[in-house]
Amino acid sequence: MEKYYLAVDIGASGGRHMLAHRQGGKIILEEIYRFPNEMIRCGNEKVWDVDRLFSEIITGMKRCAELSRIPVSMGIDTWGVDFVLLDGQDRRIGEAVAYRDERTRGMDEKVYEIISKEELYARTGIQKQIYNTIYQLTALKEKKPRELARAARLLMIPDYFHFLLTGKAATEYTNATTTQLVNPVTRDWDEELIARLQFPRSVFQKIVKPGTELGALREEIAGQVGYSCRVVLPATHDTGSAVMAVPANTGSVLYISSGTWSLMGTELEEADCGRESMLHNLTNEGGYNDRFRYLKNIMGLWMIQSVKKETGGRLGFGEICQMASECGISSLVDCNDDRFLAPENMTEEIKAACRETGQRVPEGIGETAAVIYNSLAKCYADTRRELEEITGKRYESIHIVGGGSNADYLNRLTARSAGVPVYTGPTEATAIGNLTAQMIEAGEFTDLYEARSCIFESFGVKKYEP
């Protein structure tokens, strides 16, 4: 009888339920439910509709019963940094504010009045991003202190959903590190840092590792979906799950988890919290089995997604990619400039950036996409050189996983710009990594090495020569 595992993978633009089982030595993957997601405006804030998202989680779980494929376990991954607060009766306080909200503007300076940027990086190894949880909590402390004072629990978004499913509160390690409040040596909350910032220590839950069984579904939830199963925590930060699915077991490979964001880096056994890492804005996020995802956050396909929404009409991403490949424009923008984080109009912002630097201004979606793809490829090549300089290693290839690995033109540009082979796939890396953590816990694989070898054999990998 087949043993099924369920991954619920939720990103900034949508979520899906993926079932997996092993057959003939390979992982068989099947999407059974998909739903949209987007930030919405509530009052003057950009927020996530977590009530609707949880309803979608339940709907997708019901689909398993309808298909007579009951999972032995399930787990949820999402993006990082965002959270909810619960009061003493486990009622949500306020909204689940999204990381692109402007409430964190200027909050970095408030934090640096207490601890310098240099000391903060040395303590946590986490890349300075204005939307990190540390700055979101500072915004609450400054602007809504009563909400923070009422809080009994702080739960990252996937932890909140797992809590609703099981009644058990815990913070999964890979997502916890995105708060910029975790000590990379102890792999636990930095008690002194939390005290200095005057955040209430009592709201932070116990940190547990991916692969931990949180518990069974609550009776009420089991009744709704039509079955009970175990909840096993994956790497709940979606990049942590995606990196687990990189089908390479060598330290000479760089990965790019390509989606709304492009997360480019390598794996380290110990965090590098040195000054050079800080100056290059590299981060040491937690990974599976106590590894560190030593990487840089790059704006990624968010730019293409925004342009498509603004001017793409019914064009698909593949069509836009093809149009870009036929353009001769060579203008470039800095993908990591904050101006592209949440502009009113991405297309106009790209045009303005080109105009300000004396470059040819793109016309039409094809040229605009070409500017984005060429800029991303250059950023990938630059990041590879930075990582080689800092680690002293030669990275002989780049492995791109996630939805962005389908962008043929970008893959060709990346191989050409970086001067090394580029391997692409699997596309569904985040869901596969989520499932991998569950399957290792269940004994389907002995370790991550064996799982990655199986992933390589199970899913098509394409090679691009420089």
Side-chain angles (χ1 to χ4, degrees), residues 223-418:
Q224 288 182 46
V225 302
Y227 57 87
S228 185
C229 70
R230 299 183 303 136
V231 174
V232 173
L233 299 182
T236 63
H237 187 237
D238 48 12
T239 310
S241 278
V243 170
M244 287 185 69
V246 174
N249 280 308
T250 171
S252 62
V253 173
L254 291 177
Y255 58 78
I256 302 174
S257 175
S258 180
T260 300
W261 290 92
S262 290
L263 297 310
M264 183 173 182
T266 188
E267 287 182 309
L268 298 179
E269 296 294 330
E270 301 294 334
D272 182 343
C273 302
R275 180 171 175 77
E276 284 300 309
S277 288
M278 182 194 73
L279 291 176
H280 285 91
N281 216 17
L282 290 158
T283 200
N284 296 267
E285 294 176 351
Y288 183 78
N289 199 24
D290 282 336
R291 302 179 191 210
F292 288 92
R293 293 175 282 123
Y294 188 55
L295 57 83
K296 175 172 283 191
N297 284 311
I298 299 168
M299 198 69 72
L301 297 180
W302 158 251
M303 299 173 75
I304 285 287
Q305 292 165 356
S306 298
V307 168
K308 178 183 182 298
K309 188 174 182 180
E310 291 161 1
T311 64
R314 296 184 178 181
L315 290 171
F317 287 111
E319 292 172 290
I320 295 172
C321 203
Q322 179 61 34
M323 292 169 64
S325 71
E326 297 168 356
C327 296
I329 190 168
S330 58
S331 302
L332 298 170
V333 298
D334 178 3
C335 297
N336 288 329
D337 193 315
D338 284 347
R339 70 190 298 170
F340 301 120
L341 183 62
E344 289 297 321
N345 186 290
M346 183 69 74
T347 303
E348 293 303 318
E349 199 68 39
I350 291 167
K351 288 182 177 181
C354 291
R355 191 178 298 114
E356 291 164 13
T357 51
Q359 301 180 88
R360 177 178 159 189
V361 176
E363 295 294 335
I365 191 167
E367 289 193 354
T368 304
V371 171
I372 295 171
Y373 286 131
N374 278 280
S375 300
L376 283 172
K378 181 181 184 299
C379 190
Y380 296 160
D382 291 345
T383 301
R384 172 179 169 266
R385 285 191 290 271
E386 289 177 14
L387 287 164
E388 288 189 336
E389 179 184 328
I390 293 172
T391 64
K393 294 181 180 180
R394 163 76 181 173
Y395 295 105
E396 300 168 351
S397 62
I398 297 173
H399 209 125
I400 303 178
V401 299
S405 65
N406 284 330
D408 179 76
Y409 180 51
L410 178 57
N411 297 335
R412 287 188 276 125
L413 287 174
T414 301
R416 189 184 312 155
S417 297

Side-chain angles (χ1 to χ4, degrees), residues 131-152:
Y131 47 73
N132 286 351
T133 314
I134 189 174
Y135 305 116
Q136 294 197 43
L137 283 171
T138 301
L140 271 177
K141 189 179 73 170
E142 293 289 323
K143 302 173 182 180
K144 295 184 177 181
R146 291 182 179 178
E147 286 193 6
L148 195 57
R150 287 174 52 207

